[in-house]
Amino acid sequence: LPLQLALCTVSVLLSLSSGESKARSCSEVRQAYNVKGFSLVNVPHQEISGEHLRVCPQGFTCCTSEMEDKLNQQSKVEFENLVERSSHNMRTTFVARHKKFDEFFLELLDNSEKSLNSMFTKTYGKLYMQNSEVFQDLFTELKRYYTGGNVNLEEMLNDFWSRLLERMFQLLNSQYHFTDDYLECVSKYTDQLKPFGDVPRKLKAQVTRAFIAARTFVQGLMVGREVANRVAKVNVVPACVRALTKMLYCPYCRGMPGLKPCHNYCHNVMRGCLANQADLDAEWNLFIDAMLLVADRLEGPFNIEAVIDPVDIKISEAIMTMQDNSMQVSAKVFQGCGQPKPSGIGRSARGISDVFSTRFRPYAPEERPTTAAGTSLERLVIDIKGKLKESKRFWSNLPDDICAKGNLTESDEEQCWNSHTKGRYFPEVVKEGLTNQLNNPEVDVDITRPDTLIRQQIMALRVMTNKLKNAYNGNDIYFQDSSKFSNLLGVWMCRWR
């Protein structure tokens, strides 16, 4: 009898215990659910049977089908925001540095043009003002090249010196009349006679290398910005949404809304959802390396500031050389092109030679206009290089960064959500990248279908990296106008479809 009584007592206690567990309160879940902005209408006060659940573990639950659907959508939105926030600093780096470099470069050109115009006006007076369009056209074409225009730098610079020779030849020989055909003949002697000494050759080499590097570098910053912005707008596939919901919100359905996912569990979910982004990393790193190489050139032999700042002095030296050699140059041109007809107009009381022999006085350092925001190219490039280095391996590290930062996971491995209850998470963490997701225990990833948008960005980076490598060696690759550059991304997109 005592044994029977004891068994009966145990049976009653177990029955009571079972009844209490079935009737567990959902008050914490209701509160957390409401904090998310959802209505509490039709939200259970106590656990209900969970056969209706499609994502979360079935059994007694605090979730209805409608709640699970809303939490499903909430998981998607939160994940998109997580990726946006995690990539924000890197993306704004490209935006801000592109803007800063662009402002700096265009202001550098403006200041150089103003310097030349001011000094040449003081030195040569009306003679310069009457021929100032030759110099204005030079800066206009340099700006057009930098901003992505279809300009052949070498041909443009050759044309500048040919036009300058024609104008100066007429001024130095104003007692003669020259036809357009005669002046065209004069320009053909530019290379042979070298009327401006070695300045055109040296300046062409310096300007060409520096402008190629600067234009390609700013295009690289633009491409980095566009790629980062596009990839950060992640395409969340249904399998990923299910995995995210299970990780972030199934604890709600189990009556444990404050329970955070286990660290390794989070890694597997994020690596599955961001598998395609990780595949961008190899090409992204090559692109960053190429940007750093060109940055080194901008600091050193291709320093655009060292080329553009004294361009007025260099052109003035060339004019002085032409004036000094005017007798010999004129004699050889007359010999090759024929004796021109007298104009019938004598030289002015103050000879043209006297005007040109006025020595050019460059700006003193304190007189020179400051460049963008008072910075220098060296300081600007050092800053950009530091930010570029920080962005290496960004995409492959993104899943780990999301799990490690933002207070998303639980550090206690025994007190975390492991996909079905509170406890340790045992599966191994898979490696990053699409092909490694074949055995991902949390996300069903189709490794045979790479993300089209990501493949398109890989192609964009590959093209830009090739262009940067050529710029590093001082070579230019013809590219469409920068205004059309973004359209190329659409073309690449179509090719990958």
Side-chain angles (χ1 to χ4, degrees):
L1 185 62
L3 180 60
Q4 289 177 333
L5 183 61
L7 289 172
C8 183
T9 303
V10 170
S11 176
V12 170
L13 289 173
L14 287 172
S15 176
L16 288 171
S17 175
S18 176
E20 286 172 2
S21 66
K22 290 178 184 177
R24 197 161 51 176
S25 172
C26 293
S27 59
E28 288 186 23
V29 175
R30 286 172 59 84
Q31 184 180 355
Y33 190 71
N34 189 233
V35 168
K36 291 291 180 182
F38 297 122
S39 169
L40 292 178
V41 176
N42 298 325
V43 176
H45 287 272
Q46 293 180 323
E47 288 185 327
I48 60 175
S49 179
E51 290 86 355
H52 55 278
L53 298 178
R54 292 174 296 172
V55 176
C56 295
Q58 295 183 340
F60 289 106
T61 182
C62 287
C63 289
T64 62
S65 294
E66 183 185 3
M67 288 175 65
E68 190 180 45
D69 290 341
K70 286 183 178 179
L71 293 173
N72 214 43
Q73 185 58 34
Q74 182 72 13
S75 298
K76 179 178 182 294
V77 171
E78 287 188 11
F79 175 64
E80 290 170 341
N81 291 338
L82 275 171
V83 176
E84 285 269 348
R85 286 200 302 271
S86 297
S87 62
H88 176 76
N89 287 341
M90 190 268 288
R91 289 184 291 111
T92 54
T93 287
F94 277 91
V95 172
R97 270 58 187 186
H98 174 269
K99 183 174 182 290
K100 186 76 171 176
F101 189 90
D102 200 46
E103 287 176 351
F104 172 88
F105 193 93
L106 290 173
E107 191 165 338
L108 183 67
L109 279 175
D110 284 341
N111 288 342
S112 182
E113 185 174 8
K114 288 174 185 174
S115 171
L116 184 145
N117 184 66
S118 175
M119 287 297 100
F120 276 37
T121 299
K122 290 177 183 176
T123 305
Y124 306 124
K126 287 184 179 179
L127 285 179
Y128 166 70
M129 289 185 279
Q130 290 167 356
N131 297 277
S132 61
E133 76 275 6
V134 175
F135 303 92
Q136 290 168 0
D137 289 348
L138 169 66
F139 283 97
T140 297
E141 289 299 286
L142 287 174
K143 287 176 189 174
R144 195 162 75 85
Y145 173 84
Y146 169 74
T147 54
N150 181 20
V151 177
N152 185 306
L153 277 179
E154 291 197 9
E155 289 180 6
M156 183 272 291
L157 290 168
N158 288 340
D159 183 60
F160 165 74
W161 292 112
S162 295
R163 289 178 68 194
L164 187 58
L165 173 60
E166 289 176 16
R167 299 296 178 95
M168 284 197 63
F169 189 80
Q170 291 179 83
L171 291 171
L172 292 166
N173 296 279
S174 57
Q175 68 272 33
Y176 296 106
H177 171 72
F178 299 102
T179 64
D180 289 342
D181 288 342
Y182 195 96
L183 291 174
E184 187 175 341
C185 178
V186 172
S187 66
K188 292 177 181 177
Y189 279 83
T190 307
D191 290 337
Q192 180 184 336
L193 298 177
K194 291 186 171 51
F196 299 109
D198 211 25
V199 172
R201 183 188 65 81
K202 288 181 178 178
L203 196 60
K204 180 162 66 176
Q206 293 169 344
V207 167
T208 300
R209 293 184 310 182
F211 267 77
I212 288 170
R215 179 170 88 158
T216 308
F217 190 71
V218 81
Q219 284 179 347
L221 290 172
M222 182 184 72
V223 170
R225 178 193 71 194
E226 293 302 313
V227 168
N229 283 336
R230 282 177 167 87
V231 176
K233 296 187 184 303
V234 63
N235 176 31
V236 193
V237 297
C240 173
V241 176
R242 285 193 298 273
L244 289 165
T245 304
K246 195 174 183 180
M247 180 181 80
L248 297 173
Y249 287 114
C250 284
Y252 278 52
C253 298
R254 295 302 301 272
M256 299 177 284
L259 189 61
K260 295 179 181 179
C262 300
H263 197 68
N264 285 351
Y265 176 29
C266 178
H267 279 281
N268 275 336
V269 172
M270 292 301 167
R271 289 188 179 190
C273 289
L274 295 169
N276 282 283
Q277 279 73 12
D279 278 355
L280 182 79
D281 213 49
E283 203 63 49
W284 176 265
N285 292 338
L286 291 173
F287 161 71
I288 295 297
D289 286 340
M291 285 288 289
L292 291 170
L293 285 174
V294 174
D296 287 340
R297 288 293 205 216
L298 287 171
E299 284 184 289
F302 296 178
N303 188 317
I304 193 71
E305 197 169 24
V307 173
I308 291 300
D309 243 4
V311 74
D312 46 7
I313 300 171
K314 292 175 183 177
I315 292 175
S316 184
E317 287 174 0
I319 290 173
M320 293 300 107
T321 301
M322 170 71 183
Q323 192 273 328
D324 292 341
N325 299 325
S326 61
M327 297 285 288
Q328 300 93 309
V329 170
S330 296
K332 288 184 180 179
V333 168
F334 292 161
Q335 184 180 352
C337 298
Q339 188 68 26
K341 294 179 182 180
S343 64
I345 302 173
R347 292 197 178 203
S348 60
R350 185 189 180 203
I352 299 296
S353 296
D354 294 335
V355 174
F356 278 117
S357 65
T358 304
R359 286 293 147 182
F360 180 77
R361 186 187 72 82
Y363 271 126
E366 62 275 8
E367 292 177 307
R368 277 200 176 276
T370 57
T371 50
T375 188
S376 70
L377 181 67
E378 185 179 2
R379 287 197 297 271
L380 185 57
V381 171
I382 288 172
D383 171 64
I384 294 174
K385 281 172 66 176
K387 298 299 182 182
L388 288 172
K389 288 174 183 176
E390 290 175 9
S391 73
K392 284 196 73 173
R393 287 192 56 78
F394 175 83
W395 301 106
S396 60
N397 288 334
L398 183 57
D400 299 348
D401 287 344
I402 289 175
C403 292
K405 299 171 185 175
N407 204 27
L408 185 64
T409 61
E410 173 58 59
S411 57
D412 189 337
E413 294 183 5
E414 301 294 343
Q415 299 295 317
C416 55
W417 175 252
N418 63 12
S419 81
H420 57 277
T421 189
K422 181 195 291 187
R424 182 179 289 271
Y425 180 78
F426 291 100
E428 291 185 5
V429 177
V430 297
K431 293 181 180 179
E432 67 270 1
L434 188 62
T435 57
N436 290 316
Q437 304 313 306
L438 185 63
N439 297 315
N440 191 315
E442 306 305 334
V443 189
D444 184 15
V445 182
D446 185 353
I447 66 170
T448 66
R449 298 189 63 186
D451 187 286
T452 306
L453 178 68
I454 301 297
R455 301 301 133 178
Q456 170 231 327
Q457 304 311 311
I458 289 173
M459 178 61 74
L461 289 173
R462 194 168 292 162
V463 170
M464 194 66 238
T465 299
N466 186 48
K467 189 169 171 61
L468 287 162
K469 287 179 179 178
N470 277 276
Y472 175 76
N473 293 318
N475 301 322
D476 199 8
I477 296 178
Y478 168 71
F479 223 16
Q480 296 189 35
D481 290 3
S482 60
S483 59
K484 301 174 184 175
F485 180 76
S486 58
N487 293 340
L488 284 177
L489 300 179
V491 174
W492 291 324
M493 180 78 170
C494 292
R495 288 176 182 170
W496 280 97
R497 280 178 176 165

